[in-house]
Amino acid sequence: MVAEPSPQDNILLDVRGLKKYFPIQRGLLRRTVGYVKAVDDVTFFVREGETLGLVGESGCGKTTAGRTIIRLYEPTAGSALFKTRLLSPDGSPQMVDLLKADKQQLKLLRQEIAMIFQDPINSLNPRMSVSDIIAEPLVIHGRGKGPEVEEIIVNLLERVGLRPEHMRRYPHEFSGGQRQRIGIARALALNPRLVICDEPVSALDVSIQAQTLNLLQDLQADFNLSYIFVAHDLSVVQHVSDRVAVMYVGKIVEMADAEELYINPLHPYTEALMSAVPKPDPLYKSERIVMQGDVADPSNPPPGCYFHPRCRYAVDICSKQTPEFRELRPDHFVACHRAEELQLRGV
Amino acid sequence: MSSGDTLVEVKDLKVEFDVREGIIKAVDGLSLTVKRGRTLGVIGESGCGKSMTARAILNMVPKPGKITGGEILYYRQVGGNGKPLITDVINITKLDPDGELIRQIRGGEIGMIFQEPMSSLTPVYTAGTHINEAVTLHRLIPIRKVGDQLVETIQAHRKVSKQEAREIAIEMLRKVGIPKPEQRVDAYPHQLSGGQRQRVMIAVALSCEPKMLIADEPTTALDVSIEAQILDLMRELQETVDMAIMFITHNLGVIAEMAEEIVVMYMGKQVEQASAVELFYEPQHPYTRALLQSIPHVGKKSRQRLASIAGMVPDPFHLPPGCVFHPRCSSFMPGKCDVIVPGWKQIGPNHWVRCLLYEEV
Amino acid sequence: MAQATTKGASETKKQVSQSYWSLVWWKFKKNKTAVVGGIILIVFYLCFVGLAEFLAPYSLERRSNYTEAPPQIIRFIDAQGKFHLRPFVYGLEKHIDQETRKRTFKEDPSRVYPIYFFVRREPYKLFGLFPTDIHLFGVDESDPAASIFIMGTDSNGRDYFSRILYGGRLSLMIGLLGQFLTLLLGCVLGVISGYYGGATDMFVQRTTEFLNAFPDIPLFMALAAAIPKHWSPVTVYFMLTIILAFVRWGGLARQVRGLILSLREREYVLAARSAGASDARLMFRHLLPGTMSHVIVIATLSIPGMILSETALSWLGLGLRPPLTSWGVLLQEAGTVYAIRYAPWLLWTIPFLLITILAYNMLGDGLRDAMDPYGGR
């Protein structure tokens, strides 16, 4: 069940058995009548300095997974070990469980984990100036005073490609791409080590998307950042990620090195998903695998493998038994009963 | 150009928005032709005027926008069934936007589907009512008088056998691949998934057997697997009913798959037009080239930097002089591009471009 | 050649950054109706609340021998058609109506009383601070028969204009004060209810539903009846304010809660939370400011309701009682067929009340439009 990272791996974040169930409440007394299993037993890890892509269709739980790790939602079960020096008295690195950290610990740890959000309009408080927005994490953690803070802000703005005079302005005066840059500057204010990027480019225009992706890559190199890159766009995820995890209805169905995943997918869902992406090439003859029907309802998933009703390789066992998430090849994990025998098509 | 296969011809269309800060030229001198049964793609970033073009064709430009120039000719075929085919030419820009004729065309002969189906479907009606409405309205338009639409619909339901309309509705739902259409016809939009809602919208648009379908970002709000289903569906239906499609999107992958001919727009102007293959394999305008290079491709080697277009889309009130793209252009020629406005130049049998690189100045 | 022409293109583009509130102000200023409403209210509050003693020629309880005297018209031209630079009024003359046996007053053109400005009369404290005895206008009182009642007198011979001024003070203040209490209660409970959710939310919501389920007037009546008769009028006044606020906070709390619920999931709030912001910071830095625009609009638009409730209660005899004077009390005195038949000037309260309410609505509508400055771009 557990993907055991090999000891020489430089693991920054090790998430195991993460679950987040949202109760469904009905009636006057708000009795819980069921659960939306948004994240259902998810296991993955992130190495230092790498980008893990988390990809899947809407409602697959990728955003919830990211938010639960940083405790925006309280987890239902699981652990998320994060390597940090902040909590040990002598400053030596140790693995701390984010999901069990108390309030004080969590506040300290949040200096090392930042988030970038999807919506460049909604993610900046319209009532605050740019400098207030970027300074907020610094103020919360009591870093620096007056001129110092200003200097940090100016540096950050320049680093993300904005001008220092922008700091006196308000979010509505910026274009979508610029707002996303402000959001990135805010995320970098505390020098984090892990940045959870939640669909950072999906609301941006094509030409702005490329600029933003390049900026994220430059920053990663400069500050040795690790990214969890949550997105629905397979081509974007493949472009930025070292490794990719594919989610379907709250579970990770496959996780592997990006190139490996795209060339040798082991899960039928990955194969179908990749074949469905429209290719920017009018001469490309797609042999598209059309998945029938809609994504399963996470409050009432089908038995066995959640993908089996839409899977063209499904056999008896698929509807009865939940497949195990296992390392089939080195660093290539998959949850499919028939992974060993199937010959799937990559891109 | 033989007018026989031309369905809609847009000539030098201008749409302007007169707002407090000034005038925005949302569409500026656009010309294009939609041929019967063919798919024309329009691609561009947000604010380039692609959606306004679509709305102008239906004479539905929202206030404070106005069509300020050019004409949109709709070649309407009347007759058939033994009678000789006559082609009426209707200039849509000259029609009263609330008049009888445009209403007949709108939804009846030119259908439209939008990005988010939920907002264009009224949530209080069941899916079946929507199609019924479109069907009955279309059938009853000749005897329809000015009046409250709702009352008319009820009257229409009584005159045209309601049962019949309902059967057509079910048939359409089946056609667009909704499972159990007999039950789904009584479902409310919120009970359907996003993909199913888009299917219902397509069913609504197609129930009147339009000659042309305008699809404005029809799959942008959908997941990849659902998007694939919808695109397949649209192509299948186009083959069976012989309908022209104007497909508007910002997604290069989608347009490559759907369109036979593509118009690239930037800041209200068309900058390049060519067949899909030619546009993707031999793009001529620097903007088209940059756009094609700036998207990551699935399967290509990752971790390279993307070629990005420098700078930002200009403020519509302070457009640069000369070619609007020159501040971001990699082939910028000082003294020319920032002074001269490039013309619309044909550079191949079916290839036009608006760029000074191809003009002798 | 240029693709877009800016109106006044020559002016260099302003690079001055505008905060939310400066944008709101900028948009508000363009709405003439709202600005007029605002100015009316400022003038009213200044006159009624601040300067009532100065503007009123008489004190609240100063009685004269002229009961139910009609308004004395301010004149510039006398009976001979001669123009006077200094305005004057005619004296009042007693008449007995032979049929009804009723005592009435008529203007007597033979007695002319010039109006003097900045006269020294009864002493008072301006703004409750500076002792003075200067009034805006008056007549020479060396003649005991001299009087100036520009809106007539009531049945006790008190100057009605002065009473409207003093009455406006209480009516206008009760609206403002009551609304302030409502805001305080509604915002605090709404924010807490929306932010913490769960049992807290449940309790607050059920309470507001309970309060909302009561019909207004009977509830007012019950609460007002509970005020002991022996309490001083001032205490009654404050109790009434509290009652009005108490009955009305529910709606506001509900709206604030709804707004908080939608704001709570905004990404900028999540961003602050993920940076480690405390509950207090989230509530008061991110959530509450986001609701302020709505709250201000709702509050402005419901002040008239507050004023009218007071008026209605007082009119029913359940609110303020003499000697406290509010517009409601004045209306109660005027609220008889007799008064309307024989002393129609007692209805002068109504135009003031109407203008106030209209002005509040004009202001509120303007604020509502201005509060969304990003819209329509």
Side-chain angles (χ1 to χ4, degrees), chain B residues 141-169:
Chain B
I141 277 168
I143 57 153
R144 206 172 70 148
K145 283 172 193 150
V146 190
D148 195 317
Q149 262 208 356
L150 191 66
V151 176
E152 290 247 301
T153 314
I154 296 165
Q155 283 176 330
H157 275 307
R158 287 201 188 136
K159 284 182 184 171
V160 166
S161 143
K162 197 177 171 183
Q163 197 51 42
E164 203 180 69
R166 188 184 160 87
E167 269 159 27
I168 298 172

Side-chain angles (χ1 to χ4, degrees), chain B residues 18-23 25 28 269 315-317 319 341, chain C residues 1-7 13 26-27 30 373 376-377:
Chain B
D18 192 353
V19 289
R20 195 182 57 224
E21 294 92 335
I23 294 168
K25 298 196 171 180
D28 187 16
K269 293 190 168 195
D315 176 357
F317 301 109
L319 288 182
V341 177
Chain C
M1 181 101 18
Q3 297 303 303
T5 45
T6 309
K7 288 172 182 167
K13 197 189 178 193
W26 179 79
K27 199 169 170 194
K30 307 199 109 194
R377 278 175 72 101

Side-chain angles (χ1 to χ4, degrees), chain C residues 3-290:
Chain C
Q3 297 303 303
T5 45
T6 309
K7 288 172 182 167
S10 60
E11 68 174 326
T12 47
K13 197 189 178 193
K14 269 198 295 179
Q15 284 299 344
V16 184
S17 183
Q18 293 180 311
S19 74
Y20 171 77
W21 291 111
S22 63
L23 277 177
V24 168
W25 174 235
W26 179 79
K27 199 169 170 194
F28 176 78
K29 274 194 301 187
K30 307 199 109 194
N31 187 336
K32 292 284 173 290
T33 326
V35 172
V36 168
I39 290 173
I40 291 175
L41 286 174
I42 290 172
V43 170
F44 266 35
Y45 272 87
L46 204 70
C47 291
F48 293 104
V49 179
L51 300 171
E53 289 95 344
F54 171 69
L55 295 175
Y58 300 100
S59 72
L60 185 60
E61 292 304 324
R62 161 83 176 263
R63 295 179 187 215
S64 68
N65 292 326
Y66 305 106
T67 55
E68 292 183 4
Q72 290 168 279
I73 295 157
I74 299 171
R75 293 166 199 271
F76 289 91
I77 297 166
D78 62 21
Q80 285 79 44
K82 242 174 81 189
F83 178 80
H84 296 254
L85 196 62
R86 182 174 289 283
F88 61 89
V89 291
Y90 290 132
L92 290 167
E93 192 186 15
K94 201 196 293 187
H95 266 282
I96 306 284
D97 189 312
Q98 292 305 325
E99 277 175 44
T100 56
R101 311 297 301 162
K102 194 180 151 9
R103 191 174 45 165
T104 57
F105 291 92
K106 277 223 176 90
E107 281 180 308
D108 175 9
S110 64
R111 284 187 296 149
V112 169
Y113 298 111
I115 299 172
Y116 296 96
F117 292 94
F118 302 106
V119 290
R120 291 180 181 276
R121 294 285 179 272
E122 290 146 288
Y124 62 94
K125 281 184 178 165
L126 189 65
F127 303 125
L129 291 172
F130 314 108
T132 177
D133 56 1
I134 296 178
H135 293 253
L136 181 63
F137 63 95
V139 288
D140 187 0
E141 289 190 351
S142 51
D143 178 356
S147 65
I148 175 158
F149 305 124
I150 58 174
M151 289 181 187
T153 60
D154 67 5
S155 55
N156 285 323
R158 293 174 295 193
D159 177 33
Y160 210 66
F161 178 64
S162 303
R163 287 177 66 73
I164 286 180
L165 283 170
Y166 288 109
R169 167 177 292 172
L170 287 194
S171 284
L172 291 179
M173 281 312 284
I174 210 166
L176 219 54
L177 215 71
Q179 196 55 48
F180 178 72
L181 287 177
T182 313
L183 273 187
L184 217 63
L185 268 171
C187 282
V188 168
L189 288 167
V191 168
I192 289 173
S193 172
Y195 184 77
Y196 288 105
T200 324
D201 185 29
M202 184 93 138
F203 177 73
V204 176
Q205 288 313 303
R206 295 300 91 81
T207 314
T208 60
E209 275 161 25
F210 182 73
L211 283 176
N212 285 348
F214 269 108
D216 266 9
I217 292 293
L219 185 62
F220 280 144
M221 290 169 78
L223 287 170
I227 300 175
K229 290 277 175 227
H230 60 268
W231 282 15
S232 75
V234 178
T235 329
V236 172
Y237 175 69
F238 280 110
M239 268 319 287
L240 193 69
T241 320
I242 292 168
I243 289 171
L244 287 174
F246 181 71
V247 175
R248 289 173 170 267
W249 66 270
L252 191 75
R254 200 154 245 240
Q255 300 223 30
V256 170
R257 170 185 175 267
L259 287 168
I260 296 286
L261 282 181
S262 74
L263 288 175
R264 203 172 58 167
E265 292 302 312
R266 284 280 166 88
E267 288 187 338
Y268 67 79
V269 179
L270 292 179
R273 268 177 71 200
S274 70
S278 61
D279 284 358
R281 188 183 176 85
L282 287 173
M283 279 195 270
F284 296 109
R285 189 77 218 247
H286 291 284
L287 293 173
L288 204 56

Side-chain angles (χ1 to χ4, degrees), chain B residues 90-158:
Chain B
I90 299 170
N91 186 352
I92 290 178
T93 55
K94 293 277 184 291
L95 296 180
D96 171 12
D98 300 314
E100 173 96 357
L101 188 56
I102 189 68
R103 285 201 206 178
Q104 236 172 321
I105 295 170
R106 206 189 275 158
E109 292 164 46
I110 303 178
M112 186 155 181
I113 51 177
F114 299 92
Q115 177 173 344
E116 188 15 74
M118 192 66 175
S119 51
S120 50
L121 286 177
T122 319
V124 292
Y125 291 135
T126 60
T129 321
H130 273 279
I131 302 171
N132 268 331
E133 198 176 73
V135 169
T136 47
L137 281 180
H138 179 61
R139 293 265 155 91
L140 281 180
I141 277 168
I143 57 153
R144 206 172 70 148
K145 283 172 193 150
V146 190
D148 195 317
Q149 262 208 356
L150 191 66
V151 176
E152 290 247 301
T153 314
I154 296 165
Q155 283 176 330
H157 275 307
R158 287 201 188 136

